Amino acid sequence: MRFVTISDIEAAAERVRGTAVHTPLLRQHWAPGQLWLKPESLQPIGAFKIRGAYNAIAALGENERTRGVVAYSSGNHAQAVAYSAKAFGVPAVIVVPDSAPRLKVNATREWGAEVVEVPFADQAPVAAQLARERGLTLVPPFDHPDVIAGQGTAGLEIAADLPEVDTVLVPVSGGGFASGVGIAVKQRCPAAKVYGVEPELAADAEESLREGRRVEWPMADRARTIADGQRAQPSDLTFAHLQKVLDGIITVSEDEIRRTVRTLALRSRLVVEPSGATAPAAYLHHTSELPGGRTVAIVSGGNLDPALLTELLA
């Protein structure tokens, strides 16, 4: 198992420069204490996933790019791989669950990728099968050092923009984002604490970290949360990273997620998908569980179905 280093993340930052947006830190004066939001919802595909996908494809050899890539995702990684593949002129096949939000599926097709819809549990096996049959390179959503390094570039930006940061809140699903951000923040701001955030209904990482071993939850259980971008679970690779870089993990309820989507729309003027609202929800509803001080909560994405936005704002 190869652990990602700060040098890997610095190299990724050079690759993604000019493609991934250096998103700002926005001070939230309406919130108690000292809260900054980092809106990864402002990325070209509306989520942080562009960082890892673009870095992974940029790191491929010419022969691999010519043959094309395949990925599996509930939506945001799908869009990120499709966008990045188009930028490199690389054929892309994306396997998505048939329950994925239409907004994300349609956007993936619009970037020129071939989309294959399958039952939720079949995404990874079908993607692996297509890779074998067509000679495609698999670009996984989190379980790869190049993907983790790319996601970690967000942590470099936090350290550059707020070097005196005390606490960073980052959502956890497959764990690649939290792993990369954690490495970067810990290396650049050694005194800072990094906390992962999960929905209560998909809190497999929280249980795993508490037990000291990777605990798997049934897909049917993880699929219950409204935070569709956080229904994955860590791999052996990402779990090992999370054990090293996270100081704790907070779980948030479905009601807290829903209320935070509404709060961020009305108070921060940000359209945020449920998965993107979990880190801010931890700050707003679980203050006593956090170290406090200058806190950055990462808004991981903003690809929110209009009908759901209407429901959550009502």
Side-chain angles (χ1 to χ4, degrees):
M1 181 183 299
R2 183 173 77 81
F3 281 89
V4 174
T5 67
I6 190 66
S7 296
D8 295 326
I9 298 173
E10 290 168 345
E14 290 301 314
R15 293 193 188 103
V16 305
R17 192 184 310 279
T19 297
V21 174
H22 182 132
T23 52
L25 294 184
L26 306 176
R27 178 71 186 271
Q28 303 301 298
H29 294 284
W30 57 268
Q34 300 178 75
L35 172 65
W36 285 260
L37 298 179
K38 185 169 179 62
E40 287 293 288
S41 51
L42 301 181
Q43 293 294 345
I45 55 92
F48 74 94
K49 290 286 191 177
I50 187 68
R51 297 176 182 273
Y54 191 90
N55 185 57
I57 294 176
L60 294 178
E62 194 60 39
N63 288 338
E64 293 172 306
R65 288 189 201 159
T66 300
R67 290 196 302 269
V69 298
V70 61
Y72 59 92
S73 165
S74 64
N76 286 334
H77 181 64
Q79 295 178 74
V81 172
Y83 178 95
S84 301
K86 183 176 182 179
F88 282 101
V90 173
V93 181
I94 313 295
V95 181
V96 303
D98 50 20
S99 59
R102 291 297 94 188
L103 180 79
K104 296 181 179 181
V105 175
N106 293 338
T108 301
R109 285 197 174 98
E110 288 170 4
W111 291 119
E114 176 189 345
V115 175
V116 177
E117 298 190 49
V118 300
F120 188 83
D122 295 341
Q123 295 174 85
V126 170
Q129 179 182 351
L130 289 170
R132 290 191 299 269
E133 292 175 351
R134 302 193 193 182
L136 305 173
T137 297
L138 179 65
V139 181
F142 50 84
D143 190 27
H144 194 285
D146 290 335
V147 174
I148 294 172
Q151 315 300 32
T153 60
L156 290 182
E157 293 173 7
I158 292 171
D161 294 345
L162 190 65
E164 66 275 21
V165 64
D166 295 303
T167 306
V168 175
L169 305 177
V170 55
V172 176
S173 182
F177 192 32
S179 296
V181 168
I183 293 165
V185 170
K186 290 291 186 178
Q187 286 293 315
R188 293 293 179 83
C189 307
K193 304 295 185 183
V194 180
Y195 276 67
V197 185
E198 275 188 312
E200 288 179 355
L201 295 184
D204 49 287
E206 188 275 337
E207 182 177 354
S208 297
L209 289 168
R210 178 163 33 89
E211 295 291 328
R213 61 183 178 85
R214 198 164 69 85
V215 178
E216 295 192 6
W217 283 29
M219 286 188 180
D221 288 352
R222 289 179 274 125
R224 296 172 299 167
T225 179
I226 191 175
D228 63 275
Q230 289 184 266
R231 292 171 179 165
Q233 57 186 359
S235 64
D236 289 337
L237 176 65
T238 57
F239 182 62
H241 281 76
L242 295 177
Q243 286 181 303
K244 291 182 65 175
V245 301
L246 290 188
D247 294 286
I249 193 162
I250 305 295
T251 62
V252 292
S253 71
E254 297 297 289
D255 180 63
E256 288 165 350
I257 295 170
R258 288 171 174 270
R259 288 161 59 192
T260 302
V261 170
R262 187 175 192 276
T263 296
L264 296 183
L266 298 179
R267 303 300 300 272
S268 303
R269 283 76 178 177
L270 290 173
V271 174
V272 176
E273 63 187 278
S275 302
T278 56
Y283 181 89
L284 295 175
H285 300 285
H286 295 265
T287 305
S288 63
E289 300 172 49
L290 295 169
R294 292 169 290 263
T295 301
V296 172
I298 302 179
V299 174
S300 58
N303 292 311
L304 181 57
D305 182 81
L308 180 57
L309 176 60
T310 300
E311 174 190 331
L312 295 176
L313 291 179

